[in-house]
Amino acid sequence: QVYVVFSEELKCWCRALVESVWRHTDGYQFGCFLVDYAKYCSVASENIRVLAGAFAEIPHRAKKCRLHCTKPLTLHIDYCENTAKIGPAKRWDTAAIQHFRKLLE
């Protein structure tokens, strides 16, 4: 279900998919994916609303996707043996993300 959330970063109301919920001392926080901006953000419970009517039918401008059969790699450095090897990683390195964005441009 798509909701409307207020993004502090963008300073506006945006459509979002809620991906996670966690409890804080002052209420709940929601982890959201902004479907028109392809961004992830954290939103307090007072800044989330149910999207009603025809607005829910408008197609999303952003879609989540991933590269087919492409796994993240990173450089593993062993200071004791003075070696460096490329191996699998759990997440993409910041440098790899920046390099991919430059290739897209």
Side-chain angles (χ1 to χ4, degrees):
Q1 183 176 353
V2 179
Y3 293 91
V4 178
V5 300
F6 186 78
S7 169
E8 296 290 338
E9 178 186 350
L10 299 171
K11 304 286 188 241
C12 66
W13 289 90
C14 309
R15 295 184 301 161
L17 294 171
V18 174
E19 296 195 335
S20 61
V21 180
W22 60 93
R23 183 160 174 75
H24 275 260
T25 55
D26 57 344
Y28 289 93
Q29 276 305 107
F30 295 87
C32 300
F33 176 73
L34 304 179
V35 297
D36 293 321
Y37 295 94
K39 290 183 176 235
Y40 291 91
C41 70
S42 166
V43 177
S45 56
E46 61 268 6
N47 290 333
I48 188 167
R49 307 283 188 274
V50 175
L51 184 63
F55 292 110
E57 303 302 321
I58 298 172
H60 303 161
R61 291 176 54 195
K63 299 218 183 270
K64 286 194 238 179
C65 60
R66 60 177 62 188
L67 298 174
H68 181 68
C69 294
T70 304
K71 307 269 188 217
L73 298 174
T74 191
L75 186 64
H76 297 283
I77 300 173
D78 187 346
Y79 292 105
C80 296
E81 295 183 19
N82 200 20
T83 60
K85 297 177 185 173
I86 293 179
K90 292 182 181 178
R91 297 183 55 140
W92 288 100
D93 291 339
T94 306
I97 294 169
Q98 290 173 350
H99 178 69
F100 181 71
R101 286 184 178 158
K102 286 180 184 175
L103 290 174
L104 289 176
E105 290 174 2

